Amino acid sequence: MLFAEAVQYLLSLGHETLTIKLGLRNTELLLESLDNPERTFPSVQIAGTNGKGSTAVMLDSICRAAGIKTGLYTSPHLISITERIRIAGNQISETDFARHATTVRAASERLSALPTFFEQVTAIALIAFREAEIDLAILETGLGGRLDSTTAANASIVAITSIAMDHEEYLGSTIESIASEKAAIIRPGVSAIIAKQRPEVLSVLLQRCEETGVQPIIAMPPSYPIRIGLRGKHQLENAAVAIALAESLSISREAILSGIETATHAGRLELISNEPDILLDGAHNPAGAEALRDYLNEFGRHPLTLVFGAMSDKKLDRIGEIIFPLADNIILTTIDNPRAASLETLETIAVRFASGSVTKSKTVSDARESALRITSPQGMICVTGSLYLIGEWKKEHD
């Protein structure tokens, strides 16, 4: 199976957040049919609402600085699905991805229920890691925790980053129910690291620890000075989790400092120096929007042009209330995705909260042209609202 054919097949299984199944049994059966690749290396699993990807890339950077051969599995991707699977810091090749996808597809089609997109991509990552003979897998949970396919890897070390409201249609309508779904990755015998949380969230997580006989580690800022490569004050909390994970792996302070300082994460407060500067941030929920607002309040430049596109199932009113007043100009655009919010929906929200001009562009390409035309070299363009928007922007213009 060629790479393009493999991608087309996987996408035919449906959008990853719309194909959740009740239970892990299908993933477990798929992994069994592949001779359980997850049993050939130790794993760290990271769940949470915000920060789990940043924590994963920081831990990966730390481990590589320590000479540990890592397999990193994250989601979603921005441009190519191969971004989701990295071995020793390198993105998997299209050839290897297609080869492993062929193996997983054949195994999937022998099962009574066809595994989902995310289940199959997770399996592809795990067999790629086995073949590469990695020392450690770092697995970012896709959605929730209790039913996420990465949980079937039975990681011996787990971490939970900041929990906030998101994906309520799948995880529950209260912060406690969402916390409960994510807390389920804490199982008897694991080492568990927990980020700073709201009191009601922490209560749920600690109760889960008590039920499973796990003594948690609450991640605290390190007692020694660090320089964080990722932008934003919120990364301090993510770095604290990554450092606690590294310390649980007995990694040296020297490697921790080096890894934290050199970590990168595309599409998350990613600054492209230009005239004007371009800031790419996939903030797609209120907590992410607040982190972006804090960064722009400190480092943003005016005139500030906001290019905004988002999925229709997000808390668009609240996101708009947080970030739209910051902009001198807002350019609304649509994303090539069936879940994308319409220009009309976005405009209704923007006119309520905007303090500057509001215009619409039907495509991301048109939005980019408009943003460059109206923003002076001394200003800044901020592209935000969805990682899918960031992916389209980078695909067309990087």
Side-chain angles (χ1 to χ4, degrees):
M1 188 163 56
L2 299 175
F3 176 71
E5 183 183 354
V7 174
Q8 184 177 16
Y9 163 72
L10 290 166
L11 293 177
S12 74
L13 300 173
H15 187 273
E16 58 192 281
T17 59
L18 300 180
T19 53
I20 297 172
K21 292 185 177 179
L22 296 178
L24 296 174
R25 188 55 183 158
N26 220 39
T27 304
E28 292 168 347
L29 289 171
L30 176 57
L31 295 179
E32 286 175 14
S33 70
L34 296 166
D35 296 324
N36 292 108
E38 78 284 0
R39 296 179 183 174
T40 61
F41 44 77
S43 298
V44 172
Q45 182 186 12
I46 304 171
T49 304
N50 292 299
K52 58 184 183 291
S54 294
T55 301
V57 299
M58 282 192 271
L59 178 60
D60 180 65
S61 183
I62 291 169
C63 288
R64 288 187 287 110
I68 298 170
K69 186 177 184 180
T70 55
L72 176 65
Y73 179 53
T74 60
S75 63
H77 61 272
L78 298 180
I79 299 173
S80 172
I81 197 169
T82 56
E83 296 168 30
R84 295 171 181 244
I85 303 170
R86 294 180 182 271
I87 297 169
N90 299 313
Q91 193 170 307
I92 191 173
S93 70
E94 293 184 354
T95 300
D96 285 345
F97 184 93
R99 179 166 54 85
H100 294 312
T102 301
T103 300
V104 171
R105 179 177 181 175
S108 297
E109 291 175 345
R110 292 194 294 268
L111 301 179
S112 57
L114 187 66
T116 66
F117 171 95
F118 197 77
E119 288 169 338
Q120 293 200 34
V121 177
T122 300
I124 291 168
L126 295 174
I127 63 172
F129 294 163
R130 176 175 61 189
E131 181 179 85
E133 298 182 339
I134 64 165
D135 300 320
L136 178 73
I138 302 169
L139 309 174
E140 178 192 357
T141 301
L143 182 63
R146 182 172 62 93
L147 305 177
D148 191 81
S149 61
T150 58
T151 303
N154 289 313
S156 57
I157 303 174
V158 302
I160 299 179
T161 63
S162 175
I163 293 177
M165 297 298 294
D166 200 11
H167 295 298
E168 292 93 325
E169 65 272 37
Y170 305 114
L171 304 180
S173 58
T174 68
I175 193 69
E176 291 85 358
S177 62
I178 291 173
S180 180
E181 287 291 318
K182 297 179 188 297
I185 71 169
I186 301 172
R187 304 177 308 278
V190 305
S191 297
I193 292 159
I194 297 173
K196 179 182 176 182
Q197 305 285 352
R198 292 162 52 173
E200 61 270 35
V201 170
L202 184 59
S203 176
V204 172
L205 300 181
L206 293 180
Q207 180 180 348
R208 174 66 179 180
C209 289
E210 184 177 352
E211 291 169 351
T212 54
V214 170
Q215 181 64 45
I217 297 171
I218 307 300
M220 303 296 290
S223 57
Y224 47 88
I226 59 170
R227 292 182 59 186
I228 301 176
L230 302 184
R231 295 179 182 84
K233 289 183 177 178
H234 63 289
Q235 295 294 0
L236 289 168
E237 294 181 10
N238 298 328
V241 177
I243 291 169
L245 284 166
E247 290 175 343
S248 74
L249 293 164
S250 300
I251 294 176
S252 71
R253 181 178 298 185
E254 181 182 12
I256 289 172
L257 292 172
S258 175
I260 289 289
E261 185 173 348
T262 57
T264 60
H265 201 192
R268 284 76 168 181
L269 290 179
E270 178 185 0
L271 185 65
I272 301 171
S273 296
N274 206 330
E275 293 185 348
D277 287 344
I278 300 173
L279 183 70
L280 307 177
D281 190 63
H284 58 275
N285 56 35
E290 288 172 354
L292 173 60
R293 177 193 61 196
D294 292 346
Y295 181 85
L296 289 172
N297 280 336
E298 187 170 1
F299 299 107
R301 294 165 57 184
H302 291 270
L304 175 64
T305 298
L306 196 71
V307 177
F308 187 86
M311 298 294 107
S312 59
D313 57 352
K314 299 302 179 181
K315 292 184 176 297
L316 299 178
D317 281 5
R318 179 60 182 142
I319 294 171
E321 182 181 9
I322 293 167
I323 60 174
F324 286 172
L326 305 176
D328 301 290
N329 311 290
I330 297 174
I331 301 174
L332 306 172
T333 191
T334 52
I335 305 166
D336 184 18
N337 188 295
R339 294 168 49 232
S342 68
L343 287 175
E344 292 72 25
T345 297
L346 296 178
E347 184 178 32
T348 300
I349 298 167
V351 296
R352 289 171 52 200
F353 299 115
S355 57
S357 67
V358 177
T359 58
K360 296 179 290 185
S361 292
K362 290 185 178 180
T363 68
V364 175
S365 181
D366 289 343
R368 176 186 169 88
E369 291 180 11
S370 296
L372 290 172
R373 185 173 61 251
I374 67 176
T375 310
S376 69
Q378 295 75 34
M380 176 180 281
I381 297 169
C382 177
V383 185
T384 190
S386 172
L387 285 169
Y388 295 100
L389 171 62
I390 303 301
E392 283 193 37
W393 181 283
K394 291 174 76 72
K395 185 175 182 178
E396 292 190 23
H397 307 294
D398 270 16

